[in-house]
């Protein structure tokens, strides 16, 4: 295993054991539930938007290490971002975990999201890593529906 892979695994383990922004937001103006029946992962994403900007974001739920770490890193990454920036990152993240080539222009800087690059080798885990992102999209749409990876 390469040093990079073990570093990535450490970050994922750290976020799964000590998830960031792991609480409800009182009076959240957007929220959505997500579920990945394949693995049993469940997540709730809470958002507080000011205009077009994600002023505050948090999550709750239970699931495997990958789904918890992904939700934790998502909240860390998206706090302070606009809807548009969140959408661009969603698309880049989706390409990363499904093993599609990135934009030739390079796309947005992935930062910590890069730790999920190894997930593309494990198709079952792609849904675990993507759950929080699908749920985020539902929350931004303010959809009352439950986001599902199925
Ligand atoms: Zn999972």
């Amino acid at each position: 295993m390469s040093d990079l892979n073990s570093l990535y695994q450490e970050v994922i383990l750290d976020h799964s054991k000590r998830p960031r922004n792991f609480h409800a937001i009182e009076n959240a103006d957007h929220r959505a539930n997500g579920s990945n029946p394949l693995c049993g992962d469940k997540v709730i994403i809470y958002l507080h938007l000011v205009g077009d900007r994600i002023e505050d974001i948090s999550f709750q739920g239970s699931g495997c290490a990958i789904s918890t770490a992904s939700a934790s890193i998502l909240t860390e990454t998206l706090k302070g971002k606009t809807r548009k920036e969140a959408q661009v990152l969603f698309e880049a993240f989706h390409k990363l975990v499904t093993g599609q080539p990135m934009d030739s222009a390079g796309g947005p800087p992935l930062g910590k999201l890069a730790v999920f690059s190894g997930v593309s080798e494990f198709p079952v885990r792609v849904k675990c890593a993507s759950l929080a992102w699908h749920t985020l999209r539902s929350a931004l749409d303010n959809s009352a529906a439950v986001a599902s990876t199925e």
Side-chain angles (χ1 to χ4, degrees):
M1 182 186 293
S2 74
D3 289 347
L4 193 61
N5 272 337
S6 59
L7 173 70
Y8 283 179
Q9 289 202 346
E10 259 176 53
V11 173
I12 289 172
L13 270 179
D14 176 49
H15 276 267
S16 69
K17 285 184 183 155
R18 297 187 305 118
R20 318 302 199 267
N21 307 305
F22 188 72
H23 56 84
I25 293 176
E26 292 293 322
N27 308 319
D29 37 30
H30 294 68
R31 59 171 281 179
N33 290 52
S35 138
N36 173 20
L38 202 66
C39 180
D41 308 317
K42 289 193 186 328
V43 68
I44 309 170
I45 300 271
Y46 301 87
L47 294 171
H48 173 53
L49 266 70
V50 173
D52 224 22
R53 202 167 59 84
I54 299 170
E55 177 76 13
D56 200 7
I57 177 167
S58 70
F59 80 105
Q60 287 187 309
S62 62
C64 65
I66 298 271
S67 70
T68 302
S70 178
S72 174
I73 293 173
L74 175 150
T75 60
E76 240 188 22
T77 304
L78 294 185
K79 200 176 275 192
K81 297 278 196 292
T82 63
R83 273 174 183 273
K84 177 70 187 159
E85 288 166 336
Q87 179 61 28
V88 168
L89 281 165
F90 178 95
E91 283 161 18
F93 183 81
H94 189 255
K95 283 183 182 171
L96 179 79
V97 296
T98 54
Q100 297 173 59
M102 291 288 165
D103 295 340
S104 52
L110 285 169
K112 230 180 240 179
L113 299 177
V115 301
F116 293 101
S117 57
V119 167
S120 63
E121 292 166 41
F122 305 97
V124 169
R125 290 300 184 192
V126 171
K127 291 183 174 181
C128 301
S130 305
L131 175 63
W133 288 84
H134 287 292
T135 310
L136 168 82
R137 191 142 73 175
S138 296
L140 282 172
D141 292 345
N142 219 357
S143 147
V146 173
S148 175
T149 54
E150 294 300 300

